[in-house]
Amino acid sequence: MQNLLCHKTIALDLDGTLVTCRQRQMSCLFYLLNRFYLAQDVDLNLVWQLKSTGRSTKQALLFLGFEKFWASKIAIEWGKIIETPYWLQLDGVHDFVFDFLQSLQDRKIILLTARKNSHWLHHELRRLRISRYFDEVCVVSPENAVEGKANQLARCKADIFVGDTVSDAMAARKANVEFLGVTWGQHNEGTLVDNGSSRVNNDPLELKIIFG
């Protein structure tokens, strides 16, 4: 993959891209399944695989044979609590992140993420000790993530957006911004490629090299 040294303004997604999210998402889901006595015979690894293909939590549960009522109820409850401090404490930065962010200090770095609660986001960034690396933190609503991220990408005149989901790719395309999809987050390579990602990176250790 060619060197991207010429890119001066780099927008980075958070969940999945820089920060782990599988443990938080699956632990929260297991808690709810157990709460409603539905945890038996649910393979959380399979749930994660289904979500990596672009399915929502509700769609993954429906695929596993859950009744529509329970799939909807659990997905709604999951959405209500997934960003609360108790569950956010399960997030951690990927191993490569500090070296990578440090290597970008001569660029403008924009953190662009879809979160419901910006207060707890900033608290998490401080806890993870990465807040100092960003020139700007942009938070958009998860309910309108594509439009929100596209507007922010255009506003900050980003040269490239690095993200891990189909909605990230769609936002970059809508804003006419180059997109680099990464496969260690929430959506797998096939899903990203099938939804228009022409650049996909499978090795996080290569990011520092890619950006020079």
Side-chain angles (χ1 to χ4, degrees), residues 1-8 10 103-104 106-107 160 178 180 199 206-212:
M1 189 176 289
Q2 72 182 69
N3 185 287
L4 300 178
L5 184 60
C6 61
H7 293 338
K8 298 300 183 182
I10 301 170
S103 74
L104 299 179
D106 61 335
R107 327 285 182 87
I160 190 168
E178 186 173 358
L180 174 61
R199 282 180 174 272
E206 287 184 359
L207 278 184
K208 187 175 177 180
I209 299 172
I210 290 171
F211 285 95

Side-chain angles (χ1 to χ4, degrees), residues 94-155:
H94 291 298
D95 291 341
F96 70 91
V97 165
F98 289 108
D99 275 351
F100 173 56
L101 292 177
Q102 185 62 43
S103 74
L104 299 179
Q105 289 307 287
D106 61 335
R107 327 285 182 87
K108 183 177 182 180
I109 309 178
I110 309 295
L111 183 68
L112 179 53
T113 185
R115 287 287 186 95
K116 293 180 180 179
N117 191 311
S118 60
H119 171 75
W120 290 120
L121 166 68
H122 287 283
H123 183 273
E124 180 176 28
L125 295 178
R126 291 192 295 271
R127 176 180 67 81
L128 297 173
R129 300 182 180 180
I130 57 175
S131 57
R132 66 187 179 90
Y133 290 105
F134 305 113
D135 296 285
E136 187 175 351
V137 175
C138 301
V139 185
V140 304
S141 170
E143 282 72 32
N144 198 16
V146 173
E147 187 74 24
K149 287 189 175 184
N151 289 339
Q152 292 298 326
L153 288 169
R155 181 193 61 79

Side-chain angles (χ1 to χ4, degrees), residues 43-106:
D43 185 344
L44 293 177
N45 289 325
L46 180 55
V47 174
W48 184 255
Q49 289 174 24
L50 291 169
K51 294 191 71 171
S52 75
T53 65
R55 289 179 173 89
S56 66
T57 300
K58 177 181 176 180
Q59 290 169 337
L61 293 175
L62 287 172
F63 184 89
L64 292 177
F66 277 70
E67 295 178 5
K68 186 176 181 179
F69 171 82
W70 284 112
S72 297
K73 183 175 181 60
I74 291 169
I76 290 170
E77 293 298 318
W78 184 88
K80 288 179 180 178
I81 66 174
I82 190 62
E83 290 183 22
T84 55
Y86 178 84
W87 297 109
L88 288 174
Q89 68 180 329
L90 298 181
D91 283 348
V93 295
H94 291 298
D95 291 341
F96 70 91
V97 165
F98 289 108
D99 275 351
F100 173 56
L101 292 177
Q102 185 62 43
S103 74
L104 299 179
Q105 289 307 287
D106 61 335

Side-chain angles (χ1 to χ4, degrees), residues 33-45:
L33 290 169
N34 198 52
R35 174 178 157 190
F36 294 112
Y37 305 101
L38 296 168
Q40 62 275 15
D41 300 324
V42 174
D43 185 344
L44 293 177
N45 289 325

